[in-house]
């Protein structure tokens, strides 16, 4: 889609939001401007590879992205929407900064609803200063707030997403998984059902990574990937445990002062458990940044069991002989069911 047409489409979305609030107009205007800036600055990857000024590591990783993209659309059978054929150096440590907020006595995140995307539990900003300004307004209103950078996202096939320089900051295993995951999202998206959407993409990511490692991987890459997945699972388990403890605390309807005291104790216990987990990893510090920002209702509320349905999706894929296009059709049929029926549909009900 040409940049001019993109600008018109995004401007139309912003106009629809004007019916709700001026703040939504400003928010969507910065989103449109940020997205358009990326598209304008993106260069064909072939040109970047041919440019003698391109750093060797950037060239190597872009070549890897190209191979993974061909694998995902060819061997896995994911739909080709023209993404990841261009590259843009975003010139900053994150492409977007997401802001999550929650009441001081709840782990349920505040939501914002928009055309196309539906309701989401965060606001994403292309400029960190804008994200921090919005975060400050939520803190002033009494909310717990969490702000963090994002290295990749999908426009769900509406636009031809470029490869972002921030995506190349991860190791090869993480990059391979990111490319497969983001290419999976446009194949199926259900408004207002993040767990279904993320579990779907994660299942394809997992199945795709297994096939990549079997056909193109090395023992070293497999070991790095296994260790990263084990650490990620341990980190998520720890946060979900704390999230559950806070949810149980808030359900007791205790006096506000007592709630805050006990909340602080739960957070302190979380920090102590992380220290023990980190020690079991031999001092691996990959999650220190998350804890440095401070755990609170917003950061823990943002941690949901997004992989909850992955086993069901993988079982559905197996029932269809591992054929991903057929699996996508079956998953799409389940997506059309009422939300309460989707999981049983995945199980064959």
């Amino acid at each position: 889609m040409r940049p001019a047409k993109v600008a018109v489409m995004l401007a139309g979305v912003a106009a629809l939001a004007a019916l709700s609030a001026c703040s939504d107009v400003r928010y969507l205007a910065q989103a449109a401007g940020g997205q358009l800036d990326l598209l304008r600055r993106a260069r064909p990857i072939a040109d970047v590879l041919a440019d003698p000024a391109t750093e060797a590591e950037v060239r190597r990783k872009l070549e890897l992205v190209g191979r993974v993209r061909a694998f995902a659309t060819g061997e896995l059978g994911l739909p080709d929407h023209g993404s990841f054929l261009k590259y843009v150096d975003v010139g900053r440590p994150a492409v977007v900064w997401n802001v999550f907020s929650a009441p001081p006595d709840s782990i349920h995140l505040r939501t914002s609803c928009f055309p196309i995307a539906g309701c989401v539990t965060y606001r994403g900003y292309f400029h960190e200063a804008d994200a921090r300004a919005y975060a400050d307004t939520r803190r002033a209103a009494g909310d717990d707030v969490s702000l963090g950078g994002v290295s990749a996202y999908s426009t769900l096939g509406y636009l031809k997403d470029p490869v972002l320089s921030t995506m190349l900051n991860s190791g090869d295993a993480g990059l391979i998984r990111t490319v497969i995951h983001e290419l999976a999202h446009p194949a199926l998206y259900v408004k207002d059902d993040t767990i279904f959407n993320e579990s779907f993409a994660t299942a394809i990511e997992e199945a795709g990574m297994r096939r990549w490692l079997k056909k193109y991987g090395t023992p070293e890459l497999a070991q790095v990937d296994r260790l990263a997945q084990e650490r990620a699972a341990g980190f998520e388990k720890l946060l979900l445990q704390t999230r559950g403890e806070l949810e149980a605390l808030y359900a007791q309807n205790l006096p506000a002062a007592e709630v805050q005291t006990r909340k602080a104790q739960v957070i302190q216990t979380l920090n102590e458990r992380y220290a023990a987990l980190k020690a079991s990893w031999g001092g691996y510090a990959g999650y220190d940044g998350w804890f440095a920002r401070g755990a609170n209702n917003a950061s823990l509320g943002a941690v949901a069991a997004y992989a909850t349905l992955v086993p069901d999706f993988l079982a559905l894929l197996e029932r269809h002989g591992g054929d991903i296009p057929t699996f996508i059709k079956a998953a799409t049929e389940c997506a059309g069911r009422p939300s309460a029926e989707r999981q049983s549909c995945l199980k064959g009900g």
Side-chain angles (χ1 to χ4, degrees), residues 7 25-27 52 90 104 108 112 119 143 160 162 208 216 234 243-244 255-256 267 279 282 287 302 323 332 338:
V25 177
R26 290 192 295 271
Y27 170 71
V90 302
H108 296 291
S112 300
C119 296
D143 279 357
K160 296 179 180 179
Y216 303 108
R243 187 180 191 271
I267 299 299
Y287 293 102
D323 183 75
T332 301

Side-chain angles (χ1 to χ4, degrees), residues 194-329:
T194 300
I195 292 177
F196 189 92
N197 295 329
E198 288 300 326
S199 293
F200 168 79
T202 300
I204 292 181
E205 169 198 322
E206 181 60 31
M209 189 62 175
R210 292 175 187 173
R211 297 182 196 184
W212 176 274
L213 289 172
K214 183 176 181 179
K215 189 170 184 179
Y216 303 108
T218 63
E220 293 77 15
L221 181 65
Q223 171 66 8
V224 167
D225 183 64
R226 180 192 63 77
L227 189 58
Q229 294 305 301
E230 287 180 356
R231 288 169 174 164
F235 174 69
E236 181 178 283
K237 181 179 179 181
L238 176 62
L239 299 193
L240 287 174
Q241 178 183 4
T242 304
R243 187 180 191 271
E245 291 170 354
L246 286 178
E247 191 167 24
L249 169 63
Y250 300 145
Q252 296 179 48
N253 295 317
L254 298 172
E258 184 175 354
V259 168
Q260 293 309 306
T261 297
R262 293 195 182 187
K263 173 184 176 182
Q265 293 170 346
V266 171
I267 299 299
Q268 177 59 32
T269 299
L270 167 63
N271 292 329
E272 293 169 357
R273 289 170 177 164
Y274 173 64
L277 181 62
K278 182 178 173 179
S280 74
W281 290 339
Y284 172 75
Y287 293 102
D288 281 9
W290 190 93
F291 281 90
R293 292 194 294 270
N296 59 26
N297 290 342
S299 59
L300 289 165
V303 178
Y306 287 158
T308 299
L309 301 180
V310 170
D312 295 326
F313 276 110
L314 289 174
L316 180 65
L317 176 60
E318 185 175 354
R319 291 200 300 273
H320 287 86
D323 183 75
I324 288 182
T326 304
F327 158 77
I328 291 173
K329 291 180 181 178

Side-chain angles (χ1 to χ4, degrees), residues 86-163:
K86 292 186 176 183
Y87 170 75
V88 58
D89 185 344
V90 302
R92 51 186 185 265
V95 62
V96 170
W97 283 266
N98 283 344
V99 180
F100 299 87
S101 63
D105 57 354
S106 173
I107 50 82
H108 296 291
L109 300 172
R110 298 195 186 278
T111 60
S112 300
C113 300
F114 304 102
I116 300 177
C119 296
V120 294
T121 55
Y122 60 88
R123 289 202 175 208
Y125 292 86
F126 281 88
H127 297 286
E128 185 177 7
D130 292 341
R132 294 195 177 281
Y134 176 68
D136 287 343
T137 65
R138 296 313 315 159
R139 290 192 186 95
D143 279 357
D144 279 9
V145 175
S146 176
L147 185 154
V150 175
S151 63
Y153 65 89
S154 171
T155 59
L156 308 176
Y158 288 101
L159 306 175
K160 296 179 180 179
D161 297 326
V163 177

